[in-house]
């Protein structure tokens, strides 16, 4: 399958990519084409591909709805994507390999009020059976919750 990316949309055929490019003002020469890919998972908002790239799902045909990721991987990826983070510190590929969250533990850092708002230590089991600890760090401001998944504390500063 081919993947075509315009400024705001993604398509799997050239005709649809041209139509979407017209909608978002992408010059035809700027449409990005990737060949021989498989769509592994799709939600309402994003799509995960065999080349380990996450794209918007806006523009994909409704019939393309594979469900190749675990429930916990989807939940964490949703939190990061919907919070507006372009790339989580740990990377999309690592999140996509999560089989399940084994434990969640609230972590508070008394030295920094902002960071202590919403942090979790996650013990994760991956598809290969390995376990690893990552941290879910969130900052909420005016109703917008921006989350990242990081390898070490303290978390980076967020711009909300």
């Amino acid at each position: 399958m081919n993947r075509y990316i315009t400024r705001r949309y993604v398509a799997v055929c050239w005709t649809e990519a041209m139509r979407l490019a017209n909608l978002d003002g992408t010059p035809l020469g700027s449409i990005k084409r990737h060949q021989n890919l498989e769509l592994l998972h799709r939600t309402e908002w994003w799509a995960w591909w065999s080349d380990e790239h996450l794209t918007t799902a806006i523009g994909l045909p409704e019939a393309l709805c594979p469900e190749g990721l675990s429930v916990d991987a989807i939940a964490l990826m949703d939190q990061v994507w919907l919070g507006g983070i372009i790339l989580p510190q740990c990377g999309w590929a690592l999140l996509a390999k999560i089989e399940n969250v084994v434990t969640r533990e609230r972590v508070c850092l008394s030295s920094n009020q902002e960071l202590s708002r919403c942090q979790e230590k996650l013990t994760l089991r991956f598809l290969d059976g390995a376990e690893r600890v990552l941290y879910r760090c969130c900052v909420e401001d005016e109703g917008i919750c921006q989350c990242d998944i990081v390898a070490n504390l303290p978390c980076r500063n967020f711009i909300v």
Side-chain angles (χ1 to χ4, degrees):
M1 163 184 317
N2 291 324
R3 178 182 68 211
Y4 301 92
I5 299 176
T6 70
R7 288 182 180 153
R8 298 186 65 207
Y9 305 108
V10 63
V12 292
C13 74
W14 178 247
T15 305
E16 181 65 1
M18 289 189 307
R19 185 185 77 77
L20 295 171
N22 186 48
L23 289 176
D24 70 10
T26 303
L28 293 182
S30 296
I31 296 172
K32 296 176 185 166
R33 179 182 180 204
H34 303 90
Q35 297 177 296
N36 303 318
L37 297 176
E38 183 181 354
L39 178 60
L40 301 176
H41 192 93
R42 181 209 177 154
T43 69
E44 181 179 356
W45 301 108
W46 52 265
W48 180 246
W49 299 84
S50 58
D51 63 349
E52 297 190 336
H53 279 82
L54 192 79
T55 68
T56 183
I58 301 170
L60 290 175
E62 292 295 322
L64 286 177
C65 288
E67 297 181 0
L69 300 178
S70 74
V71 172
D72 286 343
I74 296 163
L76 290 173
M77 292 170 82
D78 265 348
Q79 289 171 6
V80 174
W81 176 267
L82 295 173
I85 299 285
I86 295 170
L87 178 66
Q89 185 267 334
C90 69
W92 293 116
L94 186 65
L95 293 180
K97 294 174 185 164
I98 293 171
E99 182 177 341
N100 67 306
V101 176
V102 178
T103 61
R104 293 176 181 266
E105 177 184 338
R106 184 135 175 94
V107 176
C108 292
L109 298 176
S110 59
S111 63
N112 188 326
Q113 290 287 83
E114 183 173 305
L115 289 176
S116 66
R117 283 197 215 171
C118 182
Q119 292 188 32
E120 284 185 304
K121 177 181 176 182
L122 305 172
T123 302
L124 305 166
R125 180 172 297 116
F126 291 88
L127 297 172
D128 65 2
E131 288 191 6
R132 181 172 174 186
V133 171
L134 293 175
Y135 298 89
R136 178 181 162 270
C137 302
C138 298
V139 174
E140 189 170 343
D141 187 36
E142 297 180 11
I144 298 171
C145 186
Q146 191 176 47
C147 290
D148 198 356
I149 310 297
V150 302
N152 299 301
L153 291 178
C155 302
R156 68 180 183 196
N157 291 326
F158 292 99
I159 300 169
V160 179

